[in-house]
Amino acid sequence: MNFIYPQFLWALLAIAVPIIIHLFNFRKFKKVYFSDVRLLRQVELETSKKSNIKHLLILLMRILAITSLVLAFAQPFWKKEGQANSVGEKLVTVYVDNSLSMNNSWTDFTLLDHAKKQARTLAQNFSQSDKFQLITNEFDPVHQRFLTKEQFLTEVDEIEISSNTRKLDQVEQKQLDFLMKEFAQNKYAFYLSDFQKSTTNLGQLEMDSTIQLTFVPILPESIGNVFIDSVWFDSPVRMVNKKEQLFVKLVNSTSDDLQVKLELSLNGQVKGLVNADVLMNSEKVVTLDYVIQNPGKVEGKLSVSEYPNPTAIFDDTYYFSYLLKEESKVLVINESPEYLAAKNGSINQLFSNDPFFKVTNVVSSSINYGLFAESDLIILNEVKQYTSGLISQLLTYCEAGGSILYIPSSQPDLTSNNELLLAGASGRITQKDTANTKVSYLELENPFFKDVFQKTPKNMDLPVVLQSYVIRFSGQSSRQSLMKTQNGHPFLVESTVGKGKFFSLSVSLSPSFSNFTSHSLFVTTLLRIAESSGINQEIALTTETGKLRIREEGITSENIRVVGRRQQLEFIPETELVGGELEVFLNGELSESGNYEVVSQEKVVAAFGVNYHRDESDFEGYTLEDLQPFAAQPWVNLLDVSALQNSGESPQFIDSSRKLWKWFVLLALVFLVCEILLIKILN
């Protein structure tokens, strides 16, 4: 037996009072004179024995009555091994899962409605003096304190669906941090959730034995779902009047083959509609084609309609946005100043025919590095020698997402050129090959050549190569030979450097090297490099994304605003300039899906979509049978809410049968009654 208030046991010293009264009889005797007391001696002896027994019984009743009252105030209880106390002050922390999946239905109500109901019910099992903590997926600072019972019930009523998702071990750590700060014998933790397998990492839980833990699974009627998982384009750069091919990944996690309707809307207008059959428990990629004819902001929305009935709606839409520029800027770094007029040379003549490309020519001896951040593509046109400063700036530009085309000089400085090529993961020049050959291989499976040829001829006329530089590669790097000569040497190589691309040719543009500049493939190659250049915009984020990067001409960290017009949201984010890019920190401000934009000086400098995380789209969760092994410990309980609902009973979260103080109060009354009876009967 244990005591909640053992300090009251000091009151047991009060039993000394009746003992003292018994030992020292303080009653005053009155003298009565008799002439002869010989006849009273026998009566006196008999009366004395009866009186002693009477006084001892009364003394015992008084001692027992006082002892019972003292024990009642000390509040004794029986403590079962491995279980928390059910008496005394209690600290109760309750996690109510309010993630998107809790918006699913169960018996005409949402799972969240049932969770809130159970949270209110469990609070009724505790007394007014107990302390409560409420945890939801927001980890709201308001909940980082103890609440009274009335405050807890009020907070429960205000819980709403949230786009935030939390792993169960994160919730447990939050509870432990909170409970361990307080001293109490009775600590309770409750988890009210649908226990999705995608977010419930039960194996990571500590399950502290000093805390009475209760799992309350609230499971949906159906675990199947059809949703849009992800969206992407076939090329990284968007252009005006270019056919865009959009890929949409659909997931059917139901046990039925379903037909779905996929609708594409751009800037509020429906631009595409596809009916797709998605087999049960499978994925399917659907493609949609469209063309945008005007530059500016493009706000996209994909919607999927499920048949016969949708089970969830938060993942039936997918938002994406991006900006279409009016022009693409190409910076050409030349060895000779003759190209500064932008009239001479194959490169200038090529881009002069397309108004979308704006070409700026500079010479290698006088470069304004500020032009790098403004350029979508930098062409190194036969520069003989590269300084370490130029190489460093080019590498920084490429790693940030820029594209570079390296064209070797007819008389290069091999040391500096190789330093540049190695920095661009494009090998190194070992020698010059003067053997006559020709381009014989194109990597047609690479997206670089997508839609270049309507039909690939068997005997394609390819450029003739009179001499070229042999480029050797060492180790493994992210590169690919887009073109090769007959002798197997690379002609055009594409390498990945950070977020950018580094293209390198093995021939000079001089006719003494090849007829590449007069071949139709020259136009196709340079235009495709220019079209695929530029910063790969982040078209879609999730509500949990912390930041995004923007690369825009002249952008600064001042007067930046993030705007969601449909959501009527606008805030000033924290920003930081890093390597010519502006980092915008979102800090969890975007809690609703939709199309958003970043505005600087009243100009839209970036556009992106925000979507809810798809971790919540897989409704498969832990069943009661799955949770049984985790409830094997005596301090871990498992409550079947559905069974209680069917039976009409209310759940009992704590056991009150171990409280003993009432019994000791009753015993005290019994002993007092016995004392009175002894006085009356034996008088």
Side-chain angles (χ1 to χ4, degrees):
M1 186 167 63
N2 297 273
F3 298 93
I4 298 176
Y5 305 109
Q7 61 270 24
F8 276 102
L9 295 178
W10 286 100
L12 288 174
L13 296 175
I15 64 176
V17 175
I19 294 176
I20 293 173
I21 293 175
H22 175 75
L23 294 176
F24 302 96
N25 192 342
F26 294 111
R27 290 183 302 171
K28 294 182 179 180
F29 295 94
K30 183 180 180 181
K31 291 183 179 181
V32 179
Y33 295 93
F34 287 90
S35 58
D36 190 355
V37 295
R38 287 178 297 174
L39 299 175
L40 298 175
R41 187 176 300 278
Q42 186 176 0
V43 175
E44 179 183 352
L45 292 174
E46 292 177 357
T47 305
S48 177
K49 291 179 181 179
K50 291 182 180 179
S51 178
N52 287 337
I53 294 173
K54 170 186 173 183
H55 290 161
L56 287 173
L57 290 174
I58 293 174
L59 174 63
L60 179 62
M61 293 302 105
R62 290 173 177 173
I63 291 174
L64 292 175
I66 293 174
T67 302
S68 298
L69 284 175
V70 171
L71 293 177
F73 279 102
Q75 293 198 25
F77 63 93
W78 293 111
K79 181 179 178 181
K80 297 180 180 180
E81 183 179 357
Q83 291 189 344
N85 303 331
S86 61
V87 288
E89 185 184 58
K90 304 173 185 68
L91 304 180
V92 185
T93 174
V94 182
Y95 167 60
V96 178
D97 184 1
N98 62 334
S99 61
L100 294 168
S101 63
M102 293 294 287
N103 205 33
N104 291 334
S105 62
W106 177 33
T107 61
D108 299 329
F109 294 95
T110 66
L111 299 182
L112 181 59
D113 291 333
H114 287 281
K116 292 164 65 175
K117 177 183 177 182
Q118 296 306 322
R120 288 189 290 265
T121 302
L122 74 87
Q124 301 304 327
N125 285 262
F126 295 89
S127 65
Q128 294 292 336
S129 61
D130 295 330
K131 298 179 180 179
F132 297 83
Q133 181 206 19
L134 179 64
I135 298 179
T136 60
N137 286 337
E138 289 92 345
F139 283 179
D140 198 326
V142 176
H143 297 156
Q144 302 308 306
R145 59 184 178 89
F146 280 117
L147 307 173
T148 64
K149 188 174 182 177
E150 289 75 14
Q151 291 172 332
F152 174 80
L153 293 173
T154 300
E155 290 294 324
V156 168
D157 290 336
E158 295 178 356
I159 298 176
E160 297 180 352
I161 289 293
S162 168
S163 60
N164 293 320
T165 301
R166 301 292 181 184
K167 298 289 186 181
L168 206 59
D169 65 326
Q170 294 177 304
V171 177
E172 183 194 44
Q173 192 59 53
K174 204 76 172 177
Q175 291 177 325
L176 290 175
D177 292 344
F178 200 72
L179 291 175
M180 293 308 173
K181 295 178 182 178
E182 301 290 332
F183 174 78
Q185 290 182 328
N186 307 291
K187 297 179 180 180
Y188 294 83
F190 296 89
Y191 297 96
L192 285 72
S193 171
D194 57 357
F195 291 98
Q196 284 183 281
K197 290 185 177 179
S198 59
T199 58
T200 305
N201 49 351
L202 290 171
Q204 303 296 322
L205 299 184
E206 296 182 23
M207 294 194 288
D208 194 318
S209 60
T210 64
I211 301 173
Q212 189 76 11
L213 177 63
T214 303
F215 293 123
V216 188
I218 302 173
L219 306 178
E221 295 174 325
S222 172
I223 62 171
N225 187 24
V226 177
F227 59 94
I228 302 174
D229 178 78
S230 54
V231 170
W232 68 94
F233 288 97
D234 62 334
S235 63
V237 179
R238 316 274 71 77
M239 294 183 61
V240 176
N241 293 321
K242 175 190 173 185
K243 185 178 73 172
E244 303 288 2
Q245 190 169 40
L246 185 67
F247 295 85
V248 184
K249 182 180 179 181
L250 301 175
V251 178
N252 176 12
S253 62
T254 71
S255 56
D256 299 316
D257 298 339
L258 297 178
Q259 183 186 57
V260 299
K261 180 178 71 173
L262 183 63
E263 182 179 278
L264 171 64
S265 297
L266 297 174
N267 295 330
Q269 297 183 350
V270 177
K271 294 294 184 179
L273 190 64
V274 175
N275 289 312
D277 294 320
V278 188
L279 301 179
M280 63 177 182
N281 297 316
S282 66
E283 304 172 351
K284 185 171 185 177
V285 176
V286 178
T287 59
L288 291 163
D289 297 336
Y290 67 90
V291 176
I292 299 294
Q293 298 177 339
N294 299 310
K297 181 176 62 175
V298 177
E299 293 185 339
K301 176 184 177 182
L302 285 157
S303 304
V304 62
S305 300
E306 305 171 24
Y307 298 106
N309 295 309
T311 54
I313 58 174
F314 71 87
D315 51 13
D316 288 346
T317 56
Y318 196 98
Y319 296 91
F320 65 95
S321 296
Y322 58 89
L323 294 180
L324 279 178
K325 294 184 177 181
E326 297 182 8
E327 58 185 22
S328 177
K329 294 188 176 182
V330 179
L331 176 64
V332 184
I333 301 177
N334 305 278
E335 178 68 25
S336 174
E338 64 176 305
Y339 300 118
L340 293 181
K343 295 180 179 180
N344 300 325
S346 302
I347 296 175
N348 289 324
Q349 293 175 1
L350 168 65
F351 287 114
S352 63
N353 296 324
D354 193 332
F356 178 72
F357 297 103
K358 303 299 180 182
V359 179
T360 300
N361 283 272
V362 297
V363 293
S364 59
S365 59
S366 178
I367 302 175
N368 178 9
Y369 293 138
L371 296 174
F372 284 20
E374 303 173 6
S375 304
D376 298 307
L377 171 65
I378 295 178
I379 299 178
L380 305 175
N381 185 22
E382 302 191 64
V383 177
K384 291 182 178 181
Q385 186 173 10
Y386 296 90
T387 64
S388 58
L390 176 56
I391 293 174
S392 176
Q393 291 291 332
L394 290 171
L395 183 61
T396 301
Y397 164 80
C398 196
E399 287 179 338
S403 295
I404 296 175
L405 171 59
Y406 166 79
I407 303 173
S409 168
S410 58
Q411 297 177 334
D413 173 62
L414 290 182
T415 300
S416 62
N417 276 254
N418 282 335
E419 185 180 349
L420 172 66
L421 291 174
L422 289 171
S426 295
R428 58 190 300 271
I429 298 173
T430 58
Q431 62 185 26
K432 181 186 288 187
D433 185 1
T434 58
N436 291 345
T437 183
K438 64 181 301 185
V439 174
S440 62
Y441 172 80
L442 303 180
E443 184 57 63
L444 297 177
E445 298 299 323
N446 192 292
F448 182 86
F449 290 106
K450 185 177 177 61
D451 298 329
V452 171
F453 307 103
Q454 292 183 349
K455 183 179 180 182
T456 306
K458 293 183 179 181
N459 298 316
M460 187 184 305
D461 179 28
L462 295 172
V464 174
V465 179
L466 303 177
Q467 56 180 331
S468 64
Y469 294 106
V470 178
I471 301 176
R472 301 293 185 187
F473 299 93
S474 60
Q476 297 294 326
S477 61
S478 52
R479 66 178 185 277
Q480 188 167 15
S481 295
L482 300 177
M483 302 183 195
K484 293 182 181 179
T485 59
Q486 287 178 330
N487 53 18
H489 294 159
F491 183 81
L492 175 64
V493 176
E494 177 188 8
S495 303
T496 300
V497 180
K499 296 181 179 180
K501 298 290 185 182
F502 192 100
F503 298 89
S504 58
L505 280 169
S506 64
V507 296
S508 167
L509 298 186
S510 170
S512 63
F513 274 77
S514 72
N515 67 340
F516 184 49
T517 55
S518 60
H519 196 280
S520 59
L521 197 58
F522 172 73
V523 177
T524 302
T525 300
L526 262 68
L527 286 178
R528 180 50 57 96
I529 290 175
E531 290 172 358
S532 62
S533 299
I535 300 301
N536 187 6
Q537 300 181 55
E538 296 183 88
I539 64 171
L541 311 174
T542 69
T543 53
E544 298 178 355
T545 302
K547 64 181 179 181
L548 75 153
R549 289 194 169 194
I550 303 172
R551 190 182 187 94
E552 178 69 19
E553 179 182 353
I555 191 171
T556 65
S557 59
E558 298 178 359
N559 301 319
I560 296 292
R561 294 178 292 122
V562 177
V563 180
R565 304 194 184 280
R566 183 178 64 85
Q567 299 81 3
Q568 296 183 343
L569 173 70
E570 181 175 336
F571 67 94
I572 300 174
E574 296 181 19
T575 58
E576 182 180 357
L577 280 170
V578 179
E581 292 183 311
L582 182 69
E583 285 191 349
V584 179
F585 298 92
L586 304 175
N587 296 328
E589 294 284 348
L590 307 180
S591 59
E592 185 178 349
S593 63
N595 299 107
Y596 293 83
E597 59 192 39
V598 180
V599 179
S600 174
Q601 304 290 347
E602 303 307 320
K603 175 186 175 184
V604 178
V605 295
F608 57 94
V610 172
N611 300 283
Y612 299 122
H613 205 290
R614 272 18 186 190
D615 282 351
E616 291 286 321
S617 298
D618 186 358
F619 298 152
E620 184 179 5
Y622 287 99
T623 63
L624 288 168
E625 292 75 15
D626 296 331
L627 293 172
Q628 285 291 349
F630 297 94
Q633 301 294 340
W635 62 85
V636 181
N637 302 314
L638 181 61
L639 185 65
D640 187 354
V641 175
S642 58
L644 287 171
Q645 180 160 320
N646 294 333
S647 65
E649 300 178 3
S650 297
Q652 295 294 324
F653 295 97
I654 57 175
D655 183 12
S656 61
S657 62
R658 295 176 288 175
K659 297 178 181 180
L660 303 177
W661 66 270
K662 295 180 181 179
W663 293 102
F664 282 98
V665 171
L666 181 61
L667 285 174
L669 294 175
V670 170
F671 293 137
L672 289 174
V673 171
C674 290
E675 178 191 355
I676 294 172
L677 291 176
L678 286 172
I679 294 173
K680 294 289 185 181
I681 295 173
L682 300 179
N683 190 0

